[in-house]
């Protein structure tokens, strides 16, 4: 099983980016998925989470600016980021709880995608 993030890049303050996380390999289904980020010199923090049922949670710092969504047919979760600020700069990681079969669930994380917001 592999998680791959994409969509990062350099954007000006106020701009938008859309990150994608796609799960591939042999598994039963993708359950809860979390987007975390880590800025240089800082601890990793939760940005957004979407459950299997589609319930969403956002950090206060991104609420109203970011939207997380999922497409279970494609095994993908997107993070639409708007009104970006320099403090949104960091490496964004996708973390997923994936059921390998009906009895076992494991945690996986992608390699991260870098987002840089210039002022």
């Amino acid at each position: 099983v592999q998680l791959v993030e994409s969509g990062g890049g350099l954007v000006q303050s106020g701009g938008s980016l859309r990150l994608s996380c796609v799960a591939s390999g042999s598994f039963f289904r993708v359950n809860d998925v979390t987007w975390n980020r880590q800025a240089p010199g800082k601890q990793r923090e939760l940005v957004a989470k979407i459950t299997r049922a589609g319930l969403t949670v956002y950090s206060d710092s991104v609420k109203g600016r970011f939207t997380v969504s999922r497409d279970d047919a494609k095994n993908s979760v997107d993070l639409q980021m708007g009104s970006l600020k320099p403090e949104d700069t960091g490496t964004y990681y996708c973390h997923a709880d994936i059921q390998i079969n009906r009895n076992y669930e494991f945690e996986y994380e992608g390699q991260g995608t870098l987002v840089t917001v210039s002022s």
Side-chain angles (χ1 to χ4, degrees):
V1 177
Q2 190 175 18
L3 283 179
V4 177
E5 303 101 331
S6 63
L10 175 64
V11 63
Q12 288 189 333
S13 182
S16 300
L17 278 177
R18 188 176 185 92
L19 306 183
S20 290
C21 171
V22 179
S24 62
S26 179
F27 54 88
F28 179 56
R29 70 183 187 187
V30 178
N31 291 330
D32 297 355
V33 177
T34 300
W35 280 98
N36 302 306
R37 70 185 177 193
Q38 187 162 19
K42 294 187 177 181
Q43 288 189 330
R44 193 169 296 192
E45 62 173 347
L46 181 145
V47 174
K49 177 179 178 178
I50 185 164
T51 68
R52 174 71 185 177
L55 298 176
T56 56
V57 175
Y58 299 93
S59 69
D60 289 341
S61 63
V62 307
K63 202 171 294 182
R65 299 188 297 121
F66 291 11
T67 301
V68 61
S69 60
R70 65 189 297 155
D71 184 341
D72 291 327
K74 298 180 180 179
N75 293 314
S76 68
V77 172
D78 287 354
L79 183 68
Q80 178 67 47
M81 306 187 296
S83 301
L84 283 163
K85 306 174 182 179
E87 50 263 44
D88 294 318
T89 294
T91 300
Y92 284 68
Y93 298 90
C94 174
H95 181 105
D97 298 328
I98 296 179
Q99 267 186 272
I100 301 301
N101 52 44
R102 290 186 183 275
N103 299 315
Y104 294 98
E105 179 184 85
F106 295 95
E107 297 181 22
Y108 294 88
E109 187 169 85
Q111 81 291 346
T113 186
L114 179 62
V115 172
T116 304
V117 184
S118 63
S119 56

